Amino acid sequence: MSKLNLKYVLDQKLRIEKNIVWILDDAAYAERFLAKPNNKRCPSMYSLIETCYTPEDFGYYTKKLVLRATPKQMTHYSFAIDLLLLVKEDIYDNPVEARKLLWLRANRHPFTKLAKMFGYHRTTLKRKYEMILERLADKIRLNFLDKFDKIFI
């Protein structure tokens, strides 16, 4: 019976780790589609002058396709913020560095670039990343599994 229980716990832990990586990746992807801050130095009338709807007009302009984040991506974005805020001293001794590591890795920066940024060897940094991810998955599995499962149901 204990082998089945151990297998269940390990499967659950691996599923949670995979889903954490997926949520962070989706949130980093959605961040690219968030609306940028408006330029205050540019007059708002400029956008009206630039856009004319008849092709005969001088300022005829076809609007560019602007992609926006989907509601599901925005939900993952807000949940990713909650996940990053769960990283405290019980998971890693420097939680700010751990949050940066998780977020930069979600933005698909390679470990070699991150290692130069943090001042570690790439394999050391990869082990730290996996350790942080494992401890975060344990914390979620023990304390926040009901909120976590709502996202994936």
Side-chain angles (χ1 to χ4, degrees):
M1 191 69 180
S2 64
K3 286 184 180 181
L4 293 176
N5 191 18
L6 181 64
K7 184 180 183 312
Y8 174 74
V9 169
L10 286 175
D11 287 343
Q12 191 178 33
K13 188 175 170 183
L14 290 173
R15 179 182 59 89
I16 291 172
E17 283 183 25
K18 183 185 71 156
N19 288 339
I20 289 172
V21 171
W22 182 63
I23 285 174
L24 289 173
D25 184 48
D26 201 26
Y29 186 71
E31 189 181 40
R32 298 178 198 165
F33 298 126
L34 292 178
K36 304 293 185 265
N38 195 7
N39 188 358
K40 298 297 181 192
R41 290 180 281 163
C42 180
S44 60
M45 199 61 182
Y46 180 75
S47 61
L48 294 175
I49 294 171
E50 186 181 23
T51 307
C52 292
Y53 298 107
T54 58
E56 298 84 32
D57 288 342
F58 174 70
Y60 177 70
Y61 174 72
T62 56
K63 285 191 104 174
K64 298 176 188 173
L65 176 65
V66 178
L67 298 175
R68 296 286 179 224
T70 63
K72 184 177 180 182
Q73 286 175 328
M74 292 310 297
T75 304
H76 286 173
Y77 187 76
S78 65
F79 191 63
I81 292 171
D82 294 339
L83 283 176
L84 290 175
L85 290 177
L86 284 177
V87 177
K88 298 194 186 311
E89 285 84 10
D90 59 344
I91 291 179
Y92 191 67
D93 55 350
N94 189 354
V96 175
E97 183 180 314
R99 290 177 193 145
K100 284 181 184 178
L101 178 61
L102 286 171
W103 188 249
L104 289 172
R105 189 61 193 145
N107 281 313
R108 299 181 181 175
H109 292 288
F111 280 112
T112 52
K113 184 177 177 182
L114 294 176
K116 289 177 186 175
M117 188 182 304
F118 288 108
Y120 296 112
H121 191 267
R122 62 181 173 81
T123 56
T124 306
L125 195 69
K126 186 174 182 180
R127 279 186 277 143
K128 285 184 184 228
Y129 173 75
E130 290 170 352
M131 180 194 64
I132 292 167
L133 202 58
E134 180 181 339
R135 289 181 182 174
L136 183 60
D138 279 341
K139 186 174 184 176
I140 288 172
R141 187 179 60 81
L142 295 174
N143 300 327
F144 305 103
L145 191 60
D146 56 341
K147 182 180 178 185
F148 187 77
D149 277 342
K150 285 181 186 177
I151 299 294
F152 295 104
I153 293 177

